[in-house]
Amino acid sequence: MQSLNCVVFPVAGRGTRLLPVTKSVPKELLPVYDKPVLQYAVEEALAAGAKRLVFVTHSSKPAICDYFERDKALVEVLEEDGKAKLVSALDDISLGSDIEVIFVEQDQPLGLGHAVLMAAEFAGDAPFGVILPDDVILGMPCLSEMLSDYKAGHMIAAMEVSAQDVSKYGIFRPMADATIGNLVKADALVEKPAPEDAPSQLAAVGRYILDACIFDALRQLSPGAGGEYQLTDAIAADAPRIGLTGRRFSGQRFDCGTHDGLLAAGNARASFVKGAMAAE
Ligand code: UTP
């Protein structure tokens, strides 16, 4: 597959792990050094060729929509003050006229599966991408790496985690002789298992390429772990029929839904930016 037409960004969650700031600032707009969390996700989608960006958001987070609005008056003031670098930073946010941006509301954060279902009417019939923006992946654009290997079925970015961390993730159940290079074929995905029940230590992280049939599975879903509609349950239901692949990626992933993850991502990005400036 050459490119993904549509990428969905579920951004309707409450971000409770980052309270108190998330009481009034969406976690997706918190900075990772020089750019908000959401900007990294959008750039990754554009790198994968996306032409339609669907943000599944909540009415309590209008700042997400505002972020993408052009502010002509601000640009004029910066230009008058000769601040060309800041104008170019704002230009980076502006999405070209060939990019369609859609905001759809999830009335209540009933879970990731429910959030993705809200995008059904916009995703079309072709495979589409999903990026969880708070999983920031620095380095090689992860969705593009996945796309380069994607053939059919569902694909999720995969990484090895420690035995005590398996209960924080969806965990792949690899099939026998299932590993070819960076790809791991799996026949199931178990949401947040106890270490003794985990089928492997290969965890799913927040990048997906999903066959459009996922919407049928999502419509039939019952609440799973934590009483939420889990995307992993719908993927697991489809896996035996259409196939499920984990794709190891080469970038560095940070859980920016936590204070420690945000700090570590900011430090890694700062080292990269300062290194690049020193090399100029
Ligand atoms: P998380 O579980 O990390 O986000 O969901 P959260 O619920 O906002 O965080 P905490 O646990 O309260 O701190 C991963 C992504 O899915 C979105 C979130 O906004 C986040 O980007 N999400 C989650 C939704 O859009 N809707 C939901 O119902 C749940």
Side-chain angles (χ1 to χ4, degrees):
M1 207 174 169
Q2 301 295 308
S3 64
L4 284 170
N5 182 52
C6 175
V7 173
V8 176
F9 304 85
V11 291
R14 292 196 174 98
T16 52
R17 285 167 298 163
L18 290 176
L19 281 169
V21 68
T22 44
K23 183 168 175 290
S24 53
V25 181
K27 68 175 165 182
E28 295 80 7
L29 295 182
L30 293 174
V32 171
Y33 189 56
D34 58 339
K35 294 189 282 191
V37 162
L38 190 55
Q39 184 69 29
Y40 294 88
V42 167
E43 288 174 9
E44 201 179 312
L46 297 179
K51 296 285 178 229
R52 176 178 281 189
L53 311 181
V54 182
F55 296 90
V56 181
T57 183
H58 186 262
S59 55
S60 64
K61 299 169 97 174
I64 291 187
C65 188
D66 294 347
Y67 178 73
F68 293 102
E69 288 285 320
R70 271 180 189 277
D71 190 337
K72 234 176 120 197
L74 176 59
V75 170
E76 278 169 16
V77 168
L78 293 172
E79 277 171 348
E80 276 166 24
D81 292 350
K83 294 181 173 164
K85 249 189 158 176
L86 296 180
V87 173
S88 117
L90 291 182
D91 281 348
D92 289 346
I93 304 170
S94 309
L95 299 165
S97 53
D98 58 331
I99 306 295
E100 191 182 2
V101 181
I102 295 168
F103 293 94
V104 52
E105 280 201 11
Q106 185 189 21
D107 291 340
Q108 285 183 63
L110 297 178
L112 187 55
H114 184 260
V116 172
L117 184 56
M118 297 295 105
E121 67 177 293
F122 307 107
D125 296 332
F128 65 99
V130 177
I131 295 184
L132 308 190
D134 53 352
D135 267 347
V136 170
I137 298 179
L138 300 179
M140 289 293 288
C142 180
L143 203 57
S144 300
E145 286 187 330
M146 294 168 69
L147 197 55
S148 67
D149 285 329
Y150 180 80
K151 299 270 186 304
H154 299 322
M155 177 182 274
I156 316 178
M159 72 175 195
E160 217 67 44
V161 297
S162 65
Q164 71 265 27
D165 277 349
V166 289
S167 56
K168 297 180 189 160
Y169 296 90
I171 299 293
F172 290 92
R173 188 171 74 189
M175 291 156 69
D177 300 327
T179 302
I180 306 167
N182 289 316
L183 303 178
V184 180
K185 295 265 173 221
D187 60 2
L189 195 61
V190 185
E191 184 63 19
K192 300 188 170 77
E196 59 276 18
D197 299 329
S200 74
Q201 287 173 229
L202 191 66
V205 304
R207 302 292 182 277
Y208 307 77
I209 299 177
L210 300 175
D211 185 284
C213 73
I214 192 72
F215 293 117
D216 291 332
L218 287 171
R219 285 186 193 99
Q220 288 163 25
L221 205 58
S222 308
E228 294 191 344
Y229 291 88
Q230 299 288 354
L231 180 61
T232 46
D233 290 346
I235 293 172
D238 281 342
R241 192 172 51 85
I242 66 160
L244 169 63
T245 308
R247 196 334 180 148
R248 295 179 205 271
F249 53 95
S250 51
Q252 198 182 357
R253 177 255 184 190
F254 299 90
D255 180 359
C256 290
T258 69
H259 295 109
D260 286 341
L262 258 183
L263 185 64
N267 285 332
R269 170 73 183 165
S271 301
F272 173 79
V273 171
K274 288 174 187 173
M277 277 162 61
E280 269 175 14

